């Protein structure tokens, strides 16, 4: 469905002459994702999908778990796409009509962002979604590498799509070079796996790593050519490449630079969708290779535990020194990745349930935080600020909000949006009864049950320290005075009293965010806030998925 739709969009894009129609391409992409969502829902009713269905000679493996995760990816991608599918602002033209009674030629200028003029944007996003979906279904080394590269190259193009932006081009090039380096690690690991096992199928690899009787029987030399430590070493090298992709410490150094440099609309996709599919693949890889009965002590999953510890520490400590908000979001993401990797490395039913729940709440909370940041930037298009520091910022057209101090006193400008931001940040901290608290509690509980006492104490300590920079944002938003004044600019050089081409109002009733943005923020904020009223449904979904995973 997705591939055929992309081909049709490419053909229509090749023959159209109106570049302003990109907004309709984004809406069409949302429709395509909605149809894919319905098809995946319908597939859940197929009786034999519970045991799994192999596709294309075993390159892909479809199960009930993969279909549910695909549904989640469709929902997140469609939510992000609506940022470019609808105009972000609406103006009450009755005020314009009243002004025209005094000045007949007066007209309010409604600025349009660059994202609404790039027709390739929704098409590339669909390519990234295809790569993410195929990666969750992959059961062969070949399909894994092709899927992750399809996803990665789409993200490279998205990062450098704004050719007039020097920062975006620089950050996109950094992302491309370091992403290529991580792909080299994945290729090296997969080539070593093939050299040792002679197969590219993950199912065969799972069988090899879990047989004990044959290898321990000295009279049987059937597997004399297999070297157990070699498989572990190969998986270790491959995992380094995947940790690069998800920006886990100590392979995180590209993440703050890229998040801060590329346009905020693109940052949403890089920060969320790119990580979901990789984490789901690592989950399968850990589950089927963690319990190896070979006669050696080292296990490749130890690197996940080490990376989890470093991510918790670095994401928290370095985040304390940040004053640019997207870099702060990047280090916050690194800290969350630490919790996710901790749940992955444990690999029990409780930890997998915590992993699934944490991944869902992380995606929802992070998505809401970025959409609120984008909405704040949209709302400032008709405000003026005489701060010279803000005037020197680059790429304000693509990322209006770059500094934490730019949202100082925003509660007095838009209290509802400020409250939504506060709720999301409190969820990041892990304050009850918000959804983020229960996600962290589940991960830490699973860690304690399995004897990971030291890293549990580190996780609790870093959560407390991380609250410092989160609460610093709350303090500036709610307790500082705003530096902005509302202004409306006309398109004609008309003098009204002492002002030329400028009309200053005492309030901002003339302007509102579009319904698409307000509806999305409201739904996500309600999910974060009202989790306590419906916890059983969410926890049951995570529990059932974990049980299905262990049964198959």
């Amino acid at each position: 469905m997705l591939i055929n739709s992309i081909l049709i969009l490419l053909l229509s894009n090749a023959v159209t002459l109106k570049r302003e129609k990109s907004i309709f391409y984004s809406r069409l992409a949302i429709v395509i994702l909605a149809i894919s969502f319905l098809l995946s829902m319908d597939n859940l009713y197929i009786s034999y999908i519970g045991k799994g269905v192999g596709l294309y000679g075993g390159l892909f493996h479809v199960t009930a778990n993969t279909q549910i995760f695909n549904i989640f990816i469709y929902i997140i991608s469609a939510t992000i796409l609506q940022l470019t599918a609808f105009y972000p602002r609406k103006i009450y033209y009755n005020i314009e009509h009243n002004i025209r009674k005094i000045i007949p030629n007066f007209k309010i200028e409604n600025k349009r962002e660059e994202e609404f003029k790039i027709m390739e944007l929704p098409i590339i996003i669909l390519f990234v979604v295809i790569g993410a979906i195929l990666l969750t279904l992959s059961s062969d080394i070949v399909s894994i590498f092709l899927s992750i590269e399809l996803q990665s190259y789409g993200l490279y193009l998205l990062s450098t799509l704004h050719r007039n932006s020097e920062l975006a081009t620089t950050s996109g090039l950094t992302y491309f070079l370091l992403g290529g380096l991580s792909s080299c690690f994945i290729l090296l690991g997969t080539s070593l796996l093939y050299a040792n096992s002679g197969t590219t199928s993950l199912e065969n690899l799972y069988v090899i790593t879990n047989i004990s009787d044959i290898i321990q029987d000295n009279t049987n030399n059937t597997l004399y050519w297999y070297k157990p430590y070699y498989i572990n070493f190969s998986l270790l090298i491959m995992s380094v490449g995947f940790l690069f992709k998800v920006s886990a410490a100590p392979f995180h150094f590209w993440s703050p630079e890229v998040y801060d440099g590329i346009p905020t609309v693109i940052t949403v996709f890089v920060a969320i969708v790119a990580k979901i599919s990789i984490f789901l693949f690592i989950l399968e890889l850990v589950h089927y290779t963690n319990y190896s009965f070979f006669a050696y002590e080292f296990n490749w999953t130890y690197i996940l535990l080490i990376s989890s510890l470093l991510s918790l520490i670095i994401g928290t400590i370095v985040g304390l020194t940040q004053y640019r908000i997207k870099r702060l979001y990047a280090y916050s993401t690194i800290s969350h990745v630490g919790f996710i990797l901790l749940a992955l490395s444990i690999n029990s039913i409780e930890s997998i349930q915590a992993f699934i729940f944490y991944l869902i709440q992380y995606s929802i909370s992070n998505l809401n935080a970025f959409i609120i940041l984008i909405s704040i930037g949209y709302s400032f298009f008709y405000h003026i600020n005489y701060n010279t520091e803000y005037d020197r910022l680059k790429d304000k057209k693509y990322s209006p909000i770059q500094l934490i101090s730019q949202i100082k006193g925003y509660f007095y400008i838009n209290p509802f949006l400020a409250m939504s931001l506060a709720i999301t940040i409190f969820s990041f901290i892990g304050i009850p009864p918000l959804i983020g608290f229960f996600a962290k509690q589940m991960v830490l509980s699973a860690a304690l049950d399995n004897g990971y006492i030291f890293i549990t104490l580190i996780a609790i300590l870093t959560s407390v320290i991380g609250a410092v920079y989160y609460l610093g944002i709350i303090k500036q938003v709610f307790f500082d005075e705003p530096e902005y004044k509302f202004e409306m600019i006309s398109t004609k050089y008309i003098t009204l009293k002492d002002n030329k081409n400028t009309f200053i109002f005492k309030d901002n009733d003339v302007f509102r965010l579009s319904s698409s943005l307000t509806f999305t923020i409201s739904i996500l904020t309600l999910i974060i806030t009202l989790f306590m009223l419906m916890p059983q449904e969410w926890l049951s979904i995570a529990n059932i998925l974990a049980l299905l995973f262990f049964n198959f």
Side-chain angles (χ1 to χ4, degrees), residues 58-127:
L59 291 177
F60 302 100
H61 189 229
V62 181
T63 63
N65 270 355
T66 60
Q67 289 299 297
I68 293 175
F69 290 137
N70 291 347
I71 290 171
F72 183 65
I73 293 176
Y74 291 141
I75 295 174
I76 294 295
S77 301
T79 305
I80 298 174
L81 264 174
Q82 62 90 27
L83 294 174
T84 59
F86 304 94
Y87 290 120
R89 298 177 300 274
K90 59 183 179 180
I91 299 173
Y92 289 91
Y93 287 96
N94 59 327
I95 295 181
E96 179 181 354
H97 176 72
N98 294 331
I99 297 177
R100 281 183 180 176
K101 294 179 180 179
I102 304 174
I103 304 174
N105 295 327
F106 177 82
K107 182 180 179 181
I108 294 178
E109 179 185 5
N110 190 9
K111 300 178 183 178
R112 297 182 181 181
E113 284 65 45
E114 193 69 21
E115 287 79 11
F116 300 99
K117 301 177 183 178
I118 302 177
M119 299 183 67
E120 294 80 10
L121 178 64
I123 300 176
I124 296 175
I125 287 178
L126 289 180
F127 271 112

Side-chain angles (χ1 to χ4, degrees), residues 178-196:
L178 295 179
L181 177 63
S182 64
S183 298
C184 292
F185 280 101
I186 296 174
L187 266 182
L188 178 59
T190 54
S191 61
L192 292 176
L193 281 176
Y194 178 70
N196 182 241

